[in-house]
Amino acid sequence: MATHAGPVERTVALRRATAAAGGLVTALAALAPAVPGEEVPAESTSQSYFRVREVELSDQQAALHGALVIHRGLEDLCDAPLSGADLALEVAGIRQSVLDLTGAAPGADPDLASPLALPEPGAGPSLESVWSARWLIGHQVHVLFNICAAVAVADATRHLRHGDDDAALLRLADATVYVRGFPAAMTHASTIPIDYYMAAIRQSMAPPSVDVPLSGRQHRGYKLFRAAMKDLLSVVPDSYEHLAARAPELAEARDALLEADIVDGERHVTLAYSMVHLRRSLAQRPEGPDNAVAELRLMRHRRAAQYAPLIRFGDHYIADAVAGLRHS
């Protein structure tokens, strides 16, 4: 993927990837059709708004629905003004999700004997409808990454419990790819004008447009990921130094995952600042900080304090400050 090439080369590469994803969707749909999502009841206002549903699927259907999310994501990336660095991270997450969902072997070349048909740009929908769709599409890619990361971390934890460190290392590396893709997917969703976000999209996520204000706390996929991370650290709670002394590769793999998790929190802070500046979040509790950025920064600090002894370059200043607050 020419993530840092000129606009023409980059767009051509993304259209080829979109066409390949479309071919994957067609092949999977030939085995069994997709489950009509609109027929599955939403379990929360968030699920209804972001067009996300939770239902038990066969492996083939899970692969198909994941491929549909990937196809829509790549199609939108053809026009989204995402930086090359974030595009590389999101595409890496997309590639890993294809491998996990389909069971394909890494490095396997797709059958491209037939030339891919590349759609020509033409008169399309209005920019406003593109921006509204992008907000949902980017969040759906984020949800896909959350779930795939949760599964990868849970797999790694299971392997560690069974003493299979080699298999655990592979799944920790997979999980790290997804977590690095979290902020890229969120930035993808946010590549829309701030004025449009404030005037149209933000209004649609609060009453009276919805029953309750929408919040990241309502995303079940992210809750699954956080629960998987908690379980992982219950199995390998050792400090970085102690773990590195007995299992250096495992220490490095855990370090990479936890660092990516901290950076995700840090980038959420800066992304929120770029979108809402110092306004309160839609679902902020009365007893919380004065604005969304401050609340997200507190979340980052708590995470950094928890991880400080577990990673090579821990934020011990924050860890000491948090510990002092707890004992004051």
Side-chain angles (χ1 to χ4, degrees), residues 45-53 135-137 139-140 143 205 214-215 219:
T45 302
S46 177
Q47 283 191 356
S48 178
Y49 179 88
F50 287 107
R51 314 296 195 269
V52 174
R53 296 293 187 271
W135 181 248
L136 300 181
I137 289 168
H139 275 85
Q140 288 174 354
V143 169
M205 296 191 295
L214 299 187
S215 163
H219 292 311

Side-chain angles (χ1 to χ4, degrees), residues 105-116:
D109 293 325
D111 181 8
L112 297 179
S114 301
L116 295 173

Side-chain angles (χ1 to χ4, degrees), residues 75-133:
E75 191 172 41
D76 187 68
L77 282 171
C78 291
D79 299 308
L82 197 63
S83 73
D86 275 331
L87 180 60
L89 293 174
E90 186 170 351
V91 168
I94 286 173
R95 176 185 180 275
Q96 187 60 50
S97 63
V98 171
L99 296 176
D100 284 349
L101 288 165
T102 63
D109 293 325
D111 181 8
L112 297 179
S114 301
L116 295 173
L118 303 182
E120 293 298 328
S126 67
L127 280 176
E128 289 80 4
S129 63
V130 169
W131 294 332
S132 293

Side-chain angles (χ1 to χ4, degrees), residues 165-323:
D165 285 9
D166 290 342
L169 291 174
L170 292 174
R171 292 305 275 155
L172 286 173
D174 295 343
T176 303
V177 171
Y178 290 124
V179 178
R180 287 173 177 163
F182 286 179
M186 287 302 299
T187 304
H188 173 190
S190 304
T191 54
I192 56 179
I194 304 303
D195 291 346
Y196 182 77
Y197 170 79
M198 294 300 302
I201 291 179
R202 199 166 197 256
Q203 304 283 352
S204 71
M205 296 191 295
S209 298
V210 292
D211 295 337
V212 295
L214 299 187
S215 163
R217 290 187 292 266
Q218 299 166 2
H219 292 311
R220 178 168 162 77
Y222 192 63
K223 291 179 181 178
L224 291 173
F225 169 70
R226 297 252 60 95
M229 291 291 285
K230 182 178 180 180
D231 192 32
L232 170 68
L233 296 182
S234 73
V235 174
V236 278
D238 320 54
S239 69
Y240 179 83
E241 290 74 15
H242 288 165
L243 187 59
R246 70 173 178 85
E249 290 183 324
L250 179 58
E252 290 182 13
R254 189 189 65 176
D255 180 79
L257 176 60
L258 298 186
E259 284 282 10
D261 198 21
I262 294 175
V263 171
D264 177 44
E266 292 170 345
R267 292 200 58 194
H268 203 166
V269 173
T270 56
L271 181 59
Y273 182 78
S274 71
M275 300 296 285
V276 301
H277 196 40
L278 298 180
R279 296 176 177 85
R280 291 179 66 84
S281 72
L282 294 174
Q284 201 160 335
R285 297 186 177 99
E287 68 274 13
D290 290 335
N291 59 69
V293 169
E295 185 170 27
L296 289 167
R297 190 175 286 128
L298 282 177
M299 294 168 61
R300 178 270 171 201
H301 289 338
R302 285 193 292 267
R303 193 176 302 170
Q306 177 192 0
Y307 292 170
L310 307 178
I311 60 179
R312 186 177 181 187
F313 301 110
D315 192 340
H316 296 287
Y317 293 105
I318 287 294
D320 291 344
V322 170

Side-chain angles (χ1 to χ4, degrees), residues 149-160 167-168 171:
V151 172
V153 173
D155 286 347
T157 303
R158 186 179 68 256
H159 290 313
L160 288 171
R171 292 305 275 155

